[in-house]
Amino acid sequence: MATQLRLRSALALVTGAGSGIGRAVCARLAREGATVAACDLDGAAAHQTVQLLGGLGSGEGTPCGNHTAFHADVSEARAARSLLQQVQACFCRPPSVVVSCAGITRDEFLLQMSEDDWDRVIAVNLKGIFLVTQAAAQALVSSGSHGSIINISSIVAKVGNMGQTNYAASKAGVIGLTQTAARELGRHGIRCNSVLPGFIATPMTQKMPQKVKDKVTSMIPMGHMGRPEDVAEVVAFLASEDSGYITGASVEVTGGLFM
Ligand SMILES: CCCCCCCCCCCCCC(=O)CC(=O)SCCNC(=O)CCNC(=O)[C@H](O)C(C)(C)COP(=O)(O)OP(=O)(O)OC[C@H]1O[C@@H](n2cnc3c(N)ncnc32)[C@H](O)[C@@H]1OP(=O)(O)O
Ligand SMILES: NC(=O)C1=CN([C@@H]2O[C@H](COP(=O)(O)OP(=O)(O)OC[C@H]3O[C@@H](n4cnc5c(N)ncnc54)[C@H](O)[C@@H]3O)[C@@H](O)[C@H]2O)C=CC1
């Protein structure tokens, strides 16, 4: 499909930009003309993403206006607030597109799950999205700018998944957070939507036991795992004005898994 330049005036902040879905989102938004601020806990990985986009990367002396890498732990309040401050200082405006992809798993059955595994997954996957969404919304509202916030949940938010009480809870929380933000921010011209990927081929799913991977794949009506690019296509739509009357939605990208 021919790439449209639907985002040529957009500044897009993407967290979790150093791998998998986040990296694919950066590439897709850049292809539509967006300038990308690529953030990751792994700063080197974010830098690699920017280099893949043809940007000059980050670091001292990097001329702003190009795609730029940022390092931040989104689960830390000070880091999340500092991230938005750095992005605005670099580009002289708030990001009009914000895509929260940063996420982790710490899978374990409920009977054995540690409090630390619970706390860390909630901190990154749910609190991290709260912190980034809040900081971005504050910047947009105070500048009177419209925007599109896209938060990556998961299909397991809808159906649960063995070994993932922490992860499923975090992803279900992302939907509730995003719907509420959509209700509060609509009057400011800021749309907030969730994307629920299914079984996508990234390092995150590579860690699963092969037996489970084989079984899940057999359950997918389209018969195969999804690609990060499949998710990025939907994110680009939600980032653009083509979805201008969509907010508070949860969009499944699953090949039909758990429809
Ligand atoms: C087998 C049927 C599968 C159907 C439903 C699965 C849906 C999964 C959709 C995933 C879509 C993407 C979700 C997402 O957002 C991205 C991710 O979160 S990727 C990570 C997803 N994680 C999992 O699915 C958990 C996988 N399981 C594990 O990592 C380990 O099992 C675990 C650490 C939880 C425990 O390890 P261990 O104690 O070593 O036990 P075993 O691995 O030997 O498992 C014991 C037993 O339980 C079965 N089993 C494990 N996980 C699942 C599961 N998710 N759904 C169903 N059954 C599961 C496993 O096959 C063993 O069965 P036996 O018959 O005893 O061999
Ligand atoms: N792969 C899949 O099948 C699915 C993934 N998802 C979600 O999509 C998002 C992206 O996942 P993948 O690309 O598959 O995983 P991935 O593991 O390839 O990428 C996740 C990225 O997030 C970064 N990250 C982790 N903790 C962070 C933190 N505290 N601060 C900033 N960055 C952090 C990692 O460094 C990594 O680059 C995650 O939120 C995940 O839960 C949802 C459904 C399915």
Side-chain angles (χ1 to χ4, degrees):
M1 182 179 81
T3 302
Q4 315 161 56
L5 289 176
R6 294 178 291 185
L7 301 172
R8 56 181 165 274
S9 61
L11 171 62
L13 169 61
V14 181
T15 72
S19 177
I21 292 169
R23 179 166 283 179
V25 166
C26 290
R28 190 70 180 80
L29 300 185
R31 276 194 9 240
E32 297 251 20
T35 300
V36 174
C39 168
D40 203 286
L41 179 65
D42 182 340
H47 188 74
Q48 287 167 355
T49 294
V50 167
Q51 289 183 313
L52 288 169
L53 303 183
L56 298 174
S58 64
E60 294 305 313
T62 301
C64 282
N66 288 292
H67 307 306
T68 303
F70 296 85
H71 167 261
D73 176 351
V74 297
S75 72
E76 293 290 330
R78 276 196 300 272
R81 284 195 286 269
S82 173
L83 171 63
L84 268 295
Q85 288 163 357
Q86 290 173 54
V87 170
Q88 292 178 89
C90 182
F91 296 99
C92 304
R93 57 177 167 145
S96 56
V97 173
V98 180
V99 189
S100 279
C101 299
I104 61 170
T105 59
R106 294 282 185 277
D107 295 343
E108 186 49 273
F109 292 126
L110 172 63
L111 296 180
Q112 289 85 36
M113 183 172 287
S114 71
E115 184 180 355
D116 183 57
D117 283 344
W118 171 270
D119 287 346
R120 190 62 190 151
V121 168
I122 297 294
V124 176
N125 295 5
L126 182 55
K127 183 180 171 186
I129 286 188
F130 160 70
L131 293 169
V132 171
T133 299
Q134 181 185 53
Q138 287 170 337
L140 287 165
V141 170
S142 58
S143 67
S145 306
H146 291 185
S148 177
I149 296 172
I150 299 140
N151 292 326
I152 307 298
S153 176
S154 167
I155 195 62
V156 303
K158 199 173 100 168
V159 296
N161 183 29
M162 288 177 66
Q164 292 202 301
T165 44
N166 50 359
Y167 182 87
S170 75
K171 294 300 185 176
V174 168
I175 295 173
L177 182 160
T178 306
Q179 288 171 323
T180 303
R183 290 180 183 277
E184 295 183 15
L185 299 175
R187 65 180 58 103
H188 298 288
I190 300 167
R191 298 182 293 112
C192 305
N193 292 289
S194 299
V195 173
L196 281 59
F199 196 40
I200 311 298
T202 75
M204 180 176 278
T205 47
Q206 277 167 358
K207 295 185 288 191
M208 292 168 67
Q210 190 58 46
K211 178 177 182 178
V212 179
K213 284 194 282 190
D214 293 343
K215 174 66 177 170
V216 181
T217 304
S218 72
M219 294 164 62
I220 302 170
M222 290 187 73
H224 59 85
M225 293 181 81
R227 304 167 303 140
E229 293 76 14
D230 295 320
V231 181
E233 286 286 341
V234 174
V235 170
F237 165 70
L238 291 172
S240 77
E241 277 310 301
D242 287 353
S243 59
Y245 198 57
I246 299 176
T247 195
S250 296
V251 183
E252 299 179 12
V253 187
T254 65
L257 181 66
F258 300 129
M259 64 178 78

